Amino acid sequence: MVKMEDYAGGTPAWCPGCGNFAILVALRRALVDLDLEPYRVLMVSDIGQAGKLPHYTRGNVLNVLHGRTLPAAIGAKIANPELTVIGVAGDGGSYGEGGNHFLHALRYNHDITHLVHNNQVYALTRGQTSPTSDPGYVTRTTPQGAPTPINPITLAIIGGASWVGRGFAGDINHLVQLITRGIQHKGFALVDILQPCPTFNRKNTFAWYRERVYKLEEDETYDPTDKMMAFSKAVEWGDRIPIGVIYQAERPTFGDYLFPSGAEPLVKQKLDPFSIAPLLEEFV
Amino acid sequence: MMVDFDFMVGGEAGQGVQSISQVLGKTFTRGGYHVFADQDYESRIRGGHSFSKIRVKNEPVLAVAEPVHMLIALNKETVDLHRAELVSQGAIVYDSERVTFAVQDPLFYGVPLERLAVERGGNKIMMNSVALGAAIGLVNYDFNLLAQVLTEQFAGRGTVAENNVEAARGGYQYVREYYSKYGMEIKVMGSSRRMLLTGNDAIALGALAAGCKFMAGYPMTPSTPILEYLAGKAGDFGLAVVQPEDEISVINMVIGAAFAGARAMTATSGGGFCLMVEGLGLAGMTETPIVVVEGQRPGPAIGLPTRMEQGDLEFVIHASHGEFPRAVLAPATVEDAFYLTTKAFNLAEKYQTPVIILNDHYLATCYSTVDKFDLSRVNIERGDILSEEEVAKQGEYKRHQITESGISPRALPLTKGALVVTDADEHDEEGHLIESAEIRTQMVLKRQRKEKGIKQEIGQPWLYGPRRAETTLVGWGSTYGPLREAVDILRKEGQDVNLLHLNELWPFPSETVSEVLDGAKRSFVVENNATGQLAHLLRAETGKKITGKILKFDGRPFSPMHIVGELKKEVS
C-alpha cells in the first residue's frame, strides 16, 4: 500500500501563499489514491516554478528545456508505455514556448496526463505577461496591456483532446479527484489548474477566483461527453469560471496505433544485429 | 579485362533519372562490376534538369570520373547541356522520333524510345525501360541481368514487370540490329552478391543493426530517406518512428525516449539541426545518449537544398551554448557509414552523451557497390546499465554519481528500487537542481572527464599511400573517394603524394594528424566549403599550419581530376 510518506520530498522554493503548494499536495494524494509507487511514475517538467514541483516529491524526474515537457514526455511514454507519465509545466511552457507541441499533442492522444500551473504570468523571470494573461494585463513588457489570451480549454476541445479538465488550487479535494481521473483516463488528459501567484499576479488572486469558480459536478444536467455543451462551458470566463471535467471522450491512443497487438515495450526488446540479414539481401 | 565506363542519364525532374540510374547500377553489380553513381537534381518535383553519372569499373571505385562514354538523354536539353562531356567514341541515346536536332552528330544513336515502349510494353511510360535496354544492348552486356533487375523492381504488380522487360528487350534488340558498329563492350565479369546502396541506406541499416528502437524525424533533404526507410521497417523490426510537428519536438522526443531506455536517433540537415541545438545541450547536461545524423547541404538558411557542401563542421563540433562532451563522426564511404552508425550508438550509450553523424548530400545519395555488411562485426555495447539486482546492492541510486571516468551508472526508469532524477538545470549527484559553486565545478569536471574516454575510442584517421610523402592531402568525410583516386592519378604520374583522411573527427585525433603532417614537405586541406573549416580546426587542435587549401563551394562534389588540377596549380 502506497502512503503519503512515500511521496515526501524537499522543501519547495516557492513564495508563501503560492498556489503551487496545493497542486503538489493534490498530486501526491492522487498518486497515493491510485496506489502508484514512485518508481512507476515519470514526471516530466520544464522551466519556471511549476517545473520544480517534481523535485519536491518523489518519482522518476526528467526536467527539460522551457516549453519541451510534452515532446519529452511523449518520447518516454512511447519508449516505455508501462510508465505513468505526467507532464508538469506552467502556462508559459505549455501554451507559449511549447504551443506547437501542445497543438499537436491534442491530435495524437498519447496516454499521458499534463498538469498546467496556470497563473497567467511569468513569475520566475519577475512578472512578464504570459499567453493566458487577462486582456489589458499590464506588465513591464506589456505597458500597453496584454492582448487577447489563449483559451486552453477551447483550444484543447477543438484541437481534438479526449479529456479536458480545469482545476483550482483553492479547492484541493476537488483537484485530487480531477488529477486522479485525468491519470486514469486512457489518452491525453489536459488538467489546466488555476494557480494564483501572490507575488506577481495581483488581479487573479485566490479571492478573485473564489467569487467566480463553480463546479460542473454539482450540475446534474452537465454531460462532459457532449462536445457542444463542453464548448459552451469552455468559453465561460469572467464572472463565472467552471471547474471540473469539462470534456471527455474515448478514442484510440497513439500507443494503440503504434503497438496494435500489445507488443513488448521498446525498452525491453532484445537488440540483435543479425536480425537485419534479410534486409541486406534487398539491396543486392 | 580493364573496364572504366561512365554512363550518364539526364532529363527533367519526374522523368525517372534516378530510377534508371539505380537499375543500371544494379544490373552491372550483378555481373560482378563495381559501380559508383551520383545524383544531381534540383529542388523541384517536375521540370528543370536532373542527371546522374553511373561509373562501371572492374575494380573498386569510389568516385565518378569526368568523361562520359554514353549519355542517355530523356529530353533534348540533356544533349545540349552535356554534349561537350562525351568522349570521342561516345554514344548519345535519345528518342530519335520525338527529338530532332539541326545537325546530325556522329555520336547520336537514336532509338524510337516512345514508339517501342508502346509497341513492345503497351504504354509510353515504359520508355525508360526501352532506354535501359538500348544502353545495355549498345555495350553488348547480358540482357538477362537487366531483365532480372526489372522483374524484381516491379514484383507484385502483375503484368507490369513483364511489360517493362519486353519494352527493354525492344530497346536492346533495336540497337543490336542497327548499331553493332558501336564497338565498346562490357562483358559479364562474374556473378556477385554485392549490395548497391546509398549512404542514407547504409545509415538506416546501421541504425537497425545497432538496435535503434525510436526514431523521430522531420522531413528535410537530404536525410528524409532515412526517416522513410525506418518508418517502412518499423512494424517488422519493432521500432517506433514518429514524424512530429517540428524539429524541436523531434530532438526532445528523442531525449525522452532515450531517457526511458530506448536507443534513439534522428536525421536532419543543417537547418533542422539548428532547431535542435538547444536540445543537444539538454542531452549533454542530462547525460542522455542520443544519435543525430546531420546531412549537410549548402547553407546558410535554405541554401541549395539538393546539393553538396561540407559547411557545418565547426558548427556541429561546437553547437549549443555551454560546454559538454560529444563525438562527431563523418563517414568517408557508404560502407563506413554503416559501421560508424553502429559505433555512434555504442559511444552515445557508453558515455551518455550526444553523438553526431556528419553526413552530406553527396554521400547520402550516391550509390556505391559494397560487400554485404559483416554483421558479426557489429557489437551492441550499452555501457553501464544497472539491473534491478545491481540497484538493490547499492544504497540510494544517484543518476549523476561522480566517478573517476565521469560516467555514472545508469538505471532506467521503472527499475524497482531506483528513482531516476535528472534536470536541465545544474544538479547534484541525486539529480536535483543546485546553485552551489562547489557542486557546479564538480559536475562540469565530471562531464569533461568523459571526453577523455571518448577520445580513446575515436578511430585513427585513414592514411592512403606511404606513411610519409612530399605532399600530403588532408580531407574529411565524403571526399574520400575523389581524393583517393586523385592520389592514384598523381602517383601514376610520379608525384610523391599521400592522403590523410579523417572520418572520426571529434574528439580530434591531434597526435596522428600532427605526426603525419610532420612527415610532409607540403600539405593541402581539400574540402567543400569556403572558409577551410578543417584547416582551421587542424590549426587549433595541433598548432600546425598547412601549406594551402583546395576549396570548392559551388554545391557540386569534387571529382578526382579537379583535385589533381587544383593541386598542380597550387604547387606550380
Side-chain angles (χ1 to χ4, degrees):
Chain A
M1 276 295 297
V2 178
K3 304 179 297 297
M4 278 300 276
E5 299 89 84
D6 297 332
Y7 279 98
T11 309
W14 295 328
C15 308
C18 176
N20 282 345
F21 286 101
I23 303 174
L24 172 62
V25 168
L27 175 61
R28 290 166 64 201
R29 279 174 53 183
L31 292 171
V32 170
D33 285 353
L34 289 164
D35 207 25
L36 275 169
E37 293 146 280
Y39 84 94
R40 294 191 181 280
V41 177
L42 171 62
M43 288 171 283
V44 184
S45 69
D46 72 68
I47 301 311
Q49 295 293 25
K52 294 179 183 171
L53 183 146
H55 290 296
Y56 307 138
T57 177
R58 294 187 81 233
N60 297 291
V61 178
L62 175 59
N63 173 274
V64 296
L65 306 163
H66 188 41
R68 314 305 166 197
T69 296
L70 284 175
I74 289 165
K77 182 71 182 181
I78 292 173
N80 193 352
E82 292 178 349
L83 283 164
T84 297
V85 178
I86 301 172
V88 180
D91 44 290
S94 301
Y95 308 134
E97 184 76 56
N100 203 24
H101 310 315
F102 174 68
L103 187 66
H104 292 269
L106 303 172
R107 301 167 51 209
Y108 284 88
N109 207 30
H110 300 281
D111 188 14
I112 64 179
T113 308
H114 191 53
L115 309 180
V116 182
H117 298 222
N118 188 355
N119 64 353
Q120 302 169 273
V121 71
Y122 282 14
L124 186 52
T125 45
R126 306 225 174 313
Q128 298 79 30
T129 187
S130 94
T132 53
S133 300
D134 278 348
Y137 187 65
V138 173
T139 70
R140 278 194 301 278
T141 58
T142 53
Q144 76 288 1
T148 306
I150 287 232
N151 180 333
I153 311 299
T154 53
L155 251 186
I157 295 170
I158 289 178
S162 63
W163 196 100
V164 184
R166 181 192 273 134
F168 172 41
D171 189 339
I172 293 184
N173 290 335
H174 181 263
L175 190 55
V176 174
Q177 292 302 313
L178 197 66
I179 293 175
T180 303
R181 290 177 65 182
I183 294 174
Q184 286 172 321
H185 172 71
K186 197 164 175 294
F188 183 74
L190 172 69
V191 188
D192 187 80
I193 306 167
L194 304 172
Q195 174 232 324
C197 169
T199 306
F200 289 107
N201 188 342
R202 302 305 167 91
K203 181 189 176 189
N204 313 96
T205 61
F206 276 102
W208 187 89
Y209 278 119
R210 287 213 173 87
E211 284 172 21
R212 290 158 171 82
V213 300
Y214 69 97
K215 289 183 245 198
L216 286 170
E217 291 82 356
E218 288 171 359
D219 177 0
E220 274 159 20
T221 66
Y222 186 71
D223 177 12
T225 65
D226 182 335
K227 205 178 234 187
M228 293 313 288
M229 208 186 269
F231 193 77
S232 70
K233 289 298 171 187
V235 295
E236 234 177 55
W237 184 268
D239 290 336
R240 282 174 53 82
I241 298 173
I243 62 173
V245 180
I246 299 173
Y247 180 70
Q248 68 180 51
E250 294 302 312
R251 58 182 182 91
T253 67
F254 191 62
D256 293 333
Y257 156 73
L258 268 186
F259 311 115
S261 53
E264 209 181 11
L266 298 177
V267 298
K268 286 188 171 165
Q269 291 183 18
K270 285 248 161 317
L271 309 184
D272 175 21
F274 288 94
S275 64
I276 74 155
L279 293 181
L280 303 185
E281 274 303 311
E282 291 174 12
F283 289 95
V284 170
Chain B
M1 204 197 101
M2 172 65 182
V3 170
D4 191 353
F5 196 100
D6 281 74
F7 293 89
M8 180 189 277
V9 185
E12 282 183 13
Q15 279 192 296
V17 168
Q18 285 168 49
S19 47
I20 292 180
S21 164
Q22 196 199 9
V23 170
L24 206 57
K26 261 199 170 177
T27 303
F28 286 105
T29 306
R30 295 278 175 92
Y33 284 95
H34 296 264
V35 171
F36 189 88
D38 72 5
Q39 316 279 348
D40 187 311
Y41 56 99
E42 299 174 18
S43 182
R44 61 195 296 167
I45 301 168
R46 292 267 181 269
H49 180 62
S50 300
F51 62 95
S52 172
K53 286 187 88 159
I54 307 104
R55 187 170 178 195
V56 178
K57 212 170 174 201
N58 60 306
E59 52 187 27
V61 63
L62 288 172
V64 289
E66 248 126 31
V68 177
H69 296 92
M70 187 186 305
L71 176 65
I72 301 164
L74 302 179
N75 66 358
K76 181 171 190 297
E77 189 188 16
T78 299
V79 179
D80 297 334
L81 287 172
H82 297 286
R83 171 64 181 89
E85 296 166 63
L86 270 290
V87 300
S88 55
Q89 280 116 28
I92 298 174
V93 174
Y94 70 103
D95 194 334
S96 42
E97 286 181 7
R98 293 180 49 80
V99 175
T100 40
F101 291 89
V103 181
Q104 263 307 107
D105 196 312
L107 268 49
F108 283 173
Y109 287 78
V111 177
L113 299 176
E114 201 178 290
R115 174 163 62 83
L116 286 172
V118 173
E119 280 174 11
R120 300 292 291 269
N123 191 327
K124 71 178 186 182
I125 207 177
M126 293 181 209
M127 62 177 267
N128 289 356
S129 294
V130 177
L132 277 163
I136 298 295
L138 269 179
V139 291
N140 205 12
Y141 189 71
D142 184 352
F143 178 78
N144 290 315
L145 290 175
L146 172 62
Q148 216 179 71
V149 175
L150 284 172
T151 305
E152 284 163 24
Q153 186 171 64
F154 295 107
R157 288 175 58 186
T159 53
V160 175
E162 49 188 84
N163 291 342
N164 271 284
V165 171
E166 196 44 39
R169 200 189 309 272
Y172 187 90
Q173 286 169 346
Y174 187 92
V175 304
R176 289 317 304 154
E177 187 180 336
Y178 294 103
Y179 297 130
S180 50
K181 70 173 167 74
Y182 174 61
M184 285 202 253
E185 286 206 337
I186 304 178
K187 299 239 105 30
V188 168
M189 236 178 87
S191 150
S192 122
R193 301 298 294 165
R194 289 194 190 98
M195 304 183 295
L196 181 72
L197 75 178
T198 65
N200 275 344
D201 294 328
I203 288 174
L205 289 171
L208 286 171
C212 175
K213 287 291 166 190
F214 182 87
M215 201 275 184
Y218 189 91
M220 188 166 189
T221 307
S223 295
T224 312
I226 298 174
L227 173 64
E228 292 185 330
Y229 184 81
L230 290 176
K233 300 299 176 196
D236 294 334
F237 286 82
L239 33 108
V241 178
V242 184
Q243 180 196 315
E245 61 279 8
D246 59 40
E247 283 91 341
I248 302 179
S249 186
V250 165
I251 192 75
N252 284 283
M253 277 196 197
V254 169
I255 289 170
F259 174 79
R263 284 195 150 190
M265 75 178 286
T266 183
T268 184
S269 185
F273 186 78
C274 280
L275 296 173
M276 299 182 186
V277 164
E278 198 195 13
L280 201 76
L282 177 66
M285 179 57 117
T286 58
E287 305 194 71
T288 306
I290 62 171
V291 173
V292 180
V293 178
E294 210 268 66
Q296 301 164 97
R297 66 194 222 187
I302 304 301
L304 293 167
T306 61
R307 301 199 181 276
M308 188 268 189
E309 193 157 276
Q310 293 185 302
D312 302 343
L313 176 60
E314 291 189 286
F315 172 42
V316 155
I317 282 174
H318 299 112
S320 212
H321 59 286
E323 303 163 306
F324 56 94
R326 75 196 70 195
V328 178
L329 310 175
T333 63
V334 168
E335 184 179 61
D336 195 31
F338 174 81
Y339 294 107
L340 280 189
T341 298
T342 63
K343 181 168 182 172
F345 281 94
N346 289 343
L347 282 177
E349 283 207 305
K350 278 171 77 173
Y351 295 93
Q352 300 169 19
T353 208
V355 176
I356 298 152
I357 298 173
L358 197 50
N359 193 22
D360 63 57
H361 186 276
Y362 176 63
L363 188 64
T365 59
C366 72
Y367 285 99
S368 186
T369 312
V370 180
D371 291 333
K372 275 218 201 117
F373 299 130
D374 180 3
L375 299 175
S376 69
R377 266 178 65 183
V378 179
N379 298 314
I380 310 272
E381 292 159 29
R382 302 204 68 186
D384 191 2
I385 296 183
L386 298 176
S387 66
E388 206 172 289
E389 293 73 37
E390 287 165 322
V391 162
K393 288 202 197 104
Q394 327 191 308
E396 185 173 321
Y397 175 67
K398 297 177 188 180
R399 173 67 186 95
H400 295 288
Q401 185 188 336
I402 292 185
T403 62
E404 204 181 303
S405 66
I407 302 171
S408 311
R410 188 176 162 220
L412 303 179
L414 215 77
T415 300
K416 197 162 185 179
L419 293 179
V420 187
V421 178
T422 187
D423 200 306
D425 290 67
E426 189 56 274
H427 42 262
D428 54 20
E429 288 185 294
E430 284 84 0
H432 296 299
L433 183 162
I434 53 95
E435 304 272 1
S436 149
E438 165 71 30
I439 300 178
R440 161 64 174 182
T441 305
Q442 290 308 314
M443 281 298 164
V444 169
L445 291 172
K446 169 213 193 291
R447 289 188 291 263
Q448 214 172 56
R449 283 199 294 279
K450 294 196 290 183
E451 186 158 309
K452 284 206 190 76
I454 302 173
K455 174 98 189 266
Q456 281 162 8
E457 302 220 24
I458 288 296
Q460 294 311 302
W462 295 356
L463 191 66
Y464 185 71
R467 189 145 190 95
R468 297 171 79 91
E470 223 180 75
T471 304
T472 294
L473 295 177
V474 187
W476 66 276
S478 72
T479 52
Y480 180 70
L483 272 166
R484 199 177 87 158
E485 191 165 329
V487 169
D488 286 339
I489 294 169
L490 289 160
R491 291 195 70 80
K492 265 204 193 84
E493 294 177 4
Q495 307 270 3
D496 185 19
V497 182
N498 65 0
L499 166 66
L500 178 68
H501 200 84
L502 287 85
N503 64 336
E504 298 189 40
L505 277 156
W506 194 267
F508 196 79
S510 354
E511 295 80 11
T512 307
V513 172
S514 294
E515 194 204 306
V516 174
L517 289 181
D518 280 342
K521 220 170 103 186
R522 290 182 290 262
S523 57
F524 294 89
V525 169
V526 180
E527 50 184 329
N528 281 95
N529 56 57
T531 54
Q533 294 186 26
L534 178 64
H536 186 229
L537 191 65
L538 203 148
R539 172 96 159 126
E541 298 298 314
T542 67
K544 305 274 173 209
K545 236 180 154 220
I546 41 116
T547 315
K549 302 177 236 190
I550 294 170
L551 307 176
K552 193 174 202 285
F553 42 89
D554 58 358
R556 277 75 179 169
F558 280 108
S559 69
M561 282 310 295
H562 179 87
I563 296 170
V564 168
E566 291 299 301
L567 183 64
K568 287 185 173 159
K569 274 192 226 158
E570 288 281 333
V571 172
S572 63

